[in-house]
Amino acid sequence: MSFPLLTATAALPAIGAVVTAAVPAAQRTAAKWLALLVSLATLALAIVVLVRFDPDGDRYQLTESHSWIKDFGVRYELGVDGIGVSLLALTALLIPFIILAGWHDADPLETGSKRWRPTQGFFALILAVEAMVIISFEATDVFLFYIFFEAMLIPMYFLIGGFGDRAHEHGEEAASTQRSYAAVKFLLYNLVGGLIMLAAVIGLYVVAGNFSLQEIAEARANGSLDMATNTERWLFLGFFFAFAVKAPLWPLHTWLPNAMGEATAPVAVLITAVVDKVGTFAMLRFCLQLFPEASKWATPAILVLALISIVYGALLAVGQRDIKRLVAYASISHFGFIIMGIFAMTSQGQSGATLYMVNHGISTAALMLVAGFLISRRGSRLIADYGGVQKVAPVLAGTFLIGGLATLSLPGLAPFVSEFLVLVGTFSRYPVIGIIATFGIVLAALYTLVLYQRTMTGPVKAEVSAMPDLRVRELVVVAPLIVLLIFLGVYPKPVTDIVNPAVKSTLSDVHKKDPQPEVEAAK
C-alpha cells in the first residue's frame, strides 16, 4: 500500500495544532518554534506532493479512498488536480510566513488584573486552519469537503474574536467590542451559507445516491444520471451561495472588511489569502463539475455580480481611512476578477482565475504583512496618522511599494499575468463585461498610489520620526514573497503548466470550447 501522502499533508498540521495547544503557558517560545517547525514540515510534504504530481497524467492523482460511513455512501476520498495542488502549495507556503509575522501578536498583555491571550492557542489555531484548508483542497467526497468547509469557521472565529488587532483609535474596550462584532458577523454569514449548502448536499445525495465527486461527474457525463433542470438549478444555487459567501462575492461580502480590519495582520492574510480561496476553488471543482448545465444557466447573473464586486470593491477602497480595510475592499475587487474568470467559461479565463488565486495570495500577503509591521510600530491603522515613512524606514517603504504595485497588477509582477488572462478570456466571450472590468484596474492604481503617497511620502510626522526599519525576522517574512512576485511576474509557466490541463478538463465538463478568433491568422 502506497504512503498516504495527501492524508499526511493535512494530518501533520492537525497533530501539530493539538501538540502546540498542549504546551504549558510558561513555554511560549517553545510553542512558537514548534508551530513554525510543523508548518515548515508541512511545506516540505506539500513540495513532495507538487513534485510527484504529473500535469499530463490522470485528472486526480495521489488518490486515497476508504469506506467511512457505509450506510450513507460517505467515503474518505482524496485526490488533487492541477488547481487543487497549486492552492495546496500556496497554503503550505504562506503559513510559515504568517506564523513568523505573528511571532509577538499573541504575547500576553497585562490589562488590569487580566492576562490577555494564550500564546500557544494562537499558533495552534493557525495550524488547525491550515489542516482544514488543505484537506478541503484534497477532498473528492462532497460530504467530506463539507465537513471541513464548515469546521474551519470555528478556529477562524477565535482567531478574529480572541486574538484581534490591538491598534484601535478608541482604546482597548472599543477594540474588544469591534473584534467580537467582526467575529460573530464572520461566523453567522458563513454558517448561513453552510446551512444552505447542507440542504443542497442532502439533495444531491437523494438524486445521485452517493457523495463521490468523480462518480457523480462521470454519471452526469455518460448520461446514467439525469437531473431534472429545476433540481440541478436549485442544487447549484445551494452550493454556489455558500461559496459566494466564502469568496466573498457582492452582496455577500460585508463580513470581510470587518474581519480583516479587526484581525491581526497575519490572521487577515490567513482569511483572504488562504481561507477565502476555498470558495473560489470550490466553484471550479464542485459547481462546474456537478452542475454543468446550471452553471451555464447562471453565468450571466454571476458575471454581473462579479463585475459589481470589481468596481464596488475598488471604489470603496479609494475612500477608506483605515489601511487594513482598504486592503480588504481591494481583495473584494480582486475576487470579482477571479469569479469573472471562472464563469467566462474560456481556457484563458479559468487559467487566469486559478493563477490569480495563487498570485493574489502572495501579493496580499506581502502588502498586508508589511502594513501590519507598519501598524505595530505606530499603533494606528488610520492612513492620516502616517507621513514621510520612506525617509525614516526606507526598506519598509520599499517593500510596501512593491506589495502595492503588485496589488494594482503592474506589468512585471505576478498579478498582472493572471489579470490579463482573465480579461482576455472574458473579453473573447463577453466583450462588454471585459471592457467595464478594466475600470477596476484604473481604480486599483488610484487607491494604491494614494495610499503610498499619504503614508510614505511628504513631511515626516513627529509620531513616525523614530520608527525603526524592518528587522531581520520581518525581512525573512517579506523578502521571499517579493522574490516570488517578481519571479512569477516574468515567468508564470511553472504554475500555468500545472493548472492548464485541469482547466481543459473543467471546460469539457461544461461542454464549452474557446471562441474562435474572428480574424484568421496570417499564413
Side-chain angles (χ1 to χ4, degrees):
M1 184 176 179
S2 61
F3 180 72
L5 188 55
L6 296 186
T7 294
T9 308
L12 181 58
I15 295 170
V18 174
V19 177
T20 301
V23 172
Q27 302 296 321
R28 296 191 303 275
T29 303
K32 296 175 184 180
W33 280 106
L34 176 61
L36 180 61
L37 290 174
V38 169
S39 68
L40 290 172
T42 305
L43 176 58
L45 282 177
I47 292 172
V48 175
V49 171
L50 199 59
V51 169
R52 291 189 57 184
F53 182 82
D54 179 9
D56 298 319
D58 295 336
R59 181 172 187 175
Y60 291 103
Q61 299 177 34
L62 305 174
T63 55
E64 302 172 31
S65 182
H66 307 282
S67 180
W68 183 16
I69 309 175
K70 189 174 182 181
D71 292 342
F72 295 99
V74 180
R75 299 185 63 81
Y76 177 80
E77 284 190 349
L78 304 180
V80 287
D81 61 359
I83 300 168
V85 78
S86 61
L87 294 174
L88 185 155
L90 171 70
T91 301
L93 173 70
L94 290 181
I95 295 300
F97 296 126
I98 289 171
I99 290 173
L100 266 178
W103 202 251
H104 298 298
D105 284 356
D107 286 350
L109 178 68
E110 298 295 334
T111 305
S113 60
K114 292 184 178 181
R115 186 172 173 172
W116 198 48
R117 310 198 273 199
T119 302
Q120 68 273 27
F122 177 75
F123 295 100
L125 289 171
I126 291 175
L127 291 176
V129 172
E130 179 183 23
M132 293 175 187
V133 170
I134 286 176
I135 205 165
S136 297
F137 291 141
E138 298 173 342
T140 57
D141 182 278
V142 177
F143 190 79
L144 178 66
F145 169 83
Y146 173 78
I147 288 175
F148 290 98
F149 179 81
E150 285 293 274
M152 69 180 71
L153 301 180
I154 304 304
M156 286 306 308
Y157 169 80
F158 287 109
L159 282 170
I160 297 168
F163 298 91
D165 195 353
R166 297 172 179 176
H168 197 285
E169 58 187 303
H170 299 301
E172 173 56 29
E173 185 175 348
S176 178
T177 301
Q178 289 298 317
R179 286 196 299 268
S180 299
Y181 172 77
V184 170
K185 189 174 184 179
F186 162 82
L187 187 64
L188 289 179
Y189 266 68
N190 284 274
L191 276 179
V192 169
L195 290 173
I196 292 174
M197 181 182 169
L198 177 60
V201 169
I202 295 170
L204 180 66
Y205 176 76
V206 171
V207 173
N210 65 80
F211 293 105
S212 173
L213 169 67
Q214 296 182 73
E215 290 182 16
I216 297 172
E218 289 173 5
R220 296 298 317 270
N222 62 32
S224 59
L225 174 60
D226 185 20
M227 288 188 194
T229 300
N230 285 338
T231 300
E232 181 178 349
R233 290 177 179 179
W234 280 112
L235 293 178
F236 167 85
L237 290 173
F239 277 74
F240 180 80
F241 183 87
F243 303 152
V245 172
K246 185 85 78 180
L249 178 68
W250 183 93
L252 306 172
H253 67 285
T254 59
W255 62 268
L256 183 66
N258 295 101
M260 287 185 66
E262 299 307 323
T264 62
V267 173
V269 171
L270 188 64
I271 295 169
T272 190
V274 176
V275 172
D276 287 355
K277 298 299 188 300
V278 177
T280 46
F281 161 80
M283 292 178 188
L284 278 165
R285 172 165 282 190
F286 295 101
C287 287
L288 270 60
Q289 288 189 53
L290 295 175
F291 316 110
E293 297 305 317
S295 297
K296 291 187 285 187
W297 162 76
T299 288
I302 294 172
L303 288 176
V304 170
L305 293 178
L307 184 60
I308 294 173
S309 289
I310 292 169
V311 178
Y312 170 87
L315 281 172
L316 265 66
V318 171
Q320 289 304 305
R321 298 167 53 244
D322 184 311
I323 297 174
K324 291 165 69 178
R325 288 178 71 91
L326 184 151
V327 179
Y329 280 109
S331 291
I332 291 169
S333 181
H334 296 150
F335 274 102
F337 277 108
I338 294 170
I339 296 169
M340 186 175 74
I342 292 171
F343 285 90
M345 302 292 183
T346 60
S347 58
Q348 300 99 326
Q350 292 188 354
S351 293
T354 305
L355 186 60
Y356 212 142
M357 289 187 231
V358 175
N359 292 339
H360 174 265
I362 299 170
S363 63
T364 298
L367 180 61
M368 180 59 87
L369 292 180
V370 176
F373 298 148
L374 178 69
I375 292 167
S376 67
R377 285 158 165 73
R378 173 69 176 82
S380 173
R381 308 191 314 240
L382 298 180
I383 296 172
D385 287 342
Y386 297 87
V389 174
Q390 68 179 12
K391 296 177 182 177
V392 296
V395 177
L396 189 155
T399 53
F400 189 83
L401 178 61
I402 295 174
L405 293 176
T407 297
L408 64 81
S409 299
L410 183 77
L413 296 176
F416 169 75
V417 182
S418 44
E419 196 166 280
F420 178 78
L421 285 172
V422 166
L423 289 171
V424 168
T426 303
F427 185 83
S428 64
R429 198 181 291 279
Y430 303 98
V432 175
I433 296 287
I435 291 170
I436 299 174
T438 58
F439 186 56
I441 302 175
V442 178
L443 291 173
L446 179 61
Y447 63 67
T448 300
L449 296 177
V450 168
L451 171 65
Y452 184 83
Q453 180 189 37
R454 292 178 177 175
T455 55
M456 302 296 165
T457 66
V460 179
K461 291 200 171 185
E463 294 82 0
V464 303
S465 59
M467 180 177 289
D469 213 334
L470 291 183
R471 303 178 178 92
V472 174
R473 172 181 60 86
E474 296 166 336
L475 283 171
V476 170
V477 171
V478 176
L481 298 175
I482 299 298
V483 171
L484 275 173
L485 286 175
I486 297 171
F487 175 76
L488 292 177
V490 298
Y491 191 65
K493 191 173 183 292
V495 181
T496 56
D497 283 350
I498 292 173
V499 304
N500 283 344
V503 164
K504 290 179 181 178
S505 298
T506 303
L507 278 179
S508 68
D509 290 332
V510 292
H511 311 294
K512 282 282 191 179
K513 296 182 179 180
D514 287 330
Q516 294 299 313
E518 295 182 5
V519 180
E520 293 185 5
K523 295 182 179 179

